């Protein structure tokens, strides 16, 4: 199967290599239709205070949990302590124990803090969480997170919401080559071709939010990402043809006639 | 009379109340909800029995859109 892979010691089969975030959609209904069109496997949510003005407006009413696995995130956390608290709240809210770990002190580029992320990953893994850490494209950090028991590592392509694609291609390539756990390229994938290239490089999956949610037609864009991810994965498995600096004729010269 | 802070808003009640009473008064569905009181997470099994006290700082948390 080109489109499924296994996450974690428990061996849960993930049937789509596209993960989708639920932020920034114009409405819950548009988000619901985009999730369906994307055929995503995992769907991220954030944790925030209940809005007393809209006590009935629950995003979970628009996410079919039989079809999509929830991946609550720790967005907003600036320290390991804050992220650990959010992860524990997510579990208590019944959102499961798979958590996308984000520890981000920097508001301009939203660069995650590697030291706080590693510390939180270690603590939460010991508490039985499956931690999906969002990191800068640092191969050494990726290995350290694997060592503390993360079943997945999620390095960035470029800053969150920037739509700039695979700016960190070279270190992502090293991470993919060296990792023993699935690599999910997260953040910055702005168009389907970015996701396709990430998959062609050998990433196990990608996570997309802004590019779908803020497209002119989010539902159609979700479908485009679905196909891009499948195409990229098939291209990777097919084994690409070698890159060359000069032309190589596609039509054989043997039997050529000249006037 | 007790004064408490719920999601950053000050609220007053005539006397100490249970957490489940607070939720029903606020019309909040007790589903996919997490609660922290004074930075301690309250487990679902304690929602019925836990008593809200004067000066408690209560956070009611649930899933929202996010990436």
């Amino acid at each position: 199967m080109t489109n499924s892979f296994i996450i974690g010691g428990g061996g849960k089969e993930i049937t789509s290599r596209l993960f989708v975030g639920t932020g920034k959609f114009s409405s819950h209904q548009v988000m619901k239709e985009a999730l369906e069109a994307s055929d995503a496997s995992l769907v991220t949510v954030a944790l925030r205070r209940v809005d007393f003005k809209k006590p009935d407006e629950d995003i979970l009413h628009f996410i079919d949990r039989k079809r999509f696995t929830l991946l609550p995130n720790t967005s907003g956390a600036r320290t390991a302590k804050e992220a650990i608290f959010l992860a524990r709240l997510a579990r208590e809210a019944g959102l499961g124990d798979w958590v996308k770990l984000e520890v981000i002190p920097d508001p301009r580029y939203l660069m995650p803090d590697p030291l706080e992320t590693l510390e939180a990953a270690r603590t939460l893994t010991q508490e039985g969480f499956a931690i999906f850490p969002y990191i800068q494209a640092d191969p050494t950090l990726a290995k350290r997170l694997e060592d503390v028991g993360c079943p997945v590592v999620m390095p960035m392509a470029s800053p969150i919401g920037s739509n700039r694609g695979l700016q960190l291609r070279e270190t992502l390539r090293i991470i993919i080559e060296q990792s023993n756990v699935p690599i999910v390229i997260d953040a910055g994938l702005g168009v389907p071709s970015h996701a396709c290239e990430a998959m062609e490089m050998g990433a196990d999956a990608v996570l997309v939010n802004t590019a779908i949610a803020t497209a002119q037609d989010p539902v159609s864009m979700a479908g485009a990402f679905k196909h891009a991810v499948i195409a990229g994965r098939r291209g990777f498995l097919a084994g690409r043809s070698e890159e060359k600096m000069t032309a190589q004729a596609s039509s054989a010269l043997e039997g050529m006639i000249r006037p | 009379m007790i004064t408490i802070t719920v999601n950053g808003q000050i609220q007053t009640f005539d006397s100490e109340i249970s957490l489940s009473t607070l939720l029903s008064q606020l019309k909040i569905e007790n589903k996919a909800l997490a609660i922290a009181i004074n930075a301690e997470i309250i487990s679902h099994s304690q929602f019925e029995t836990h008593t809200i006290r004067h000066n408690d700082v209560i956070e009611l948390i649930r899933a929202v859109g996010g990436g």
Side-chain angles (χ1 to χ4, degrees), chain A residues 21-23 44-50 52 54-55 57 59-61 73 85 88-89 92-93 95 100 102 209, chain B residues 6-9 26-29 31-36 39 41-44 59-67:
Chain A
T22 58
T44 61
V45 291
L47 287 159
R48 294 292 181 269
R49 285 172 167 171
V50 173
F52 294 140
K54 306 171 194 162
E57 199 172 284
I59 195 172
L60 297 182
H61 293 156
N73 69 32
F85 188 60
R88 290 171 179 162
L89 284 168
E92 202 52 47
L95 304 179
K100 175 183 166 184
E102 294 181 49
N209 186 347
Chain B
V6 188
N7 286 6
Q9 296 178 9
L26 293 171
K27 298 186 172 52
I28 290 173
E29 201 183 352
K31 201 178 147 195
L33 183 72
I35 300 179
I41 296 171
I42 309 296
S43 76
H44 267 250
E59 299 289 353
L60 308 175
I61 305 292
R62 72 180 178 195
V64 299

Side-chain angles (χ1 to χ4, degrees), chain A residues 111-112 134-138 154-173 175 183-191 194-195 197-198 201 203 205-208:
Chain A
M111 288 288 169
Y134 171 63
I135 61 167
Q136 298 176 40
D138 176 345
M154 304 214 296
M156 67 167 71
S158 49
I160 294 171
S162 69
N163 293 327
R164 297 184 65 219
L166 294 159
Q167 296 295 321
L168 300 165
R169 190 181 279 99
E170 190 51 29
T171 40
L172 288 170
R173 184 189 65 75
I175 291 173
I183 297 299
V184 181
I185 297 186
D186 182 7
L189 300 175
V191 286
H194 294 159
E197 188 185 350
M201 287 170 62
V206 296
L207 197 161
V208 181

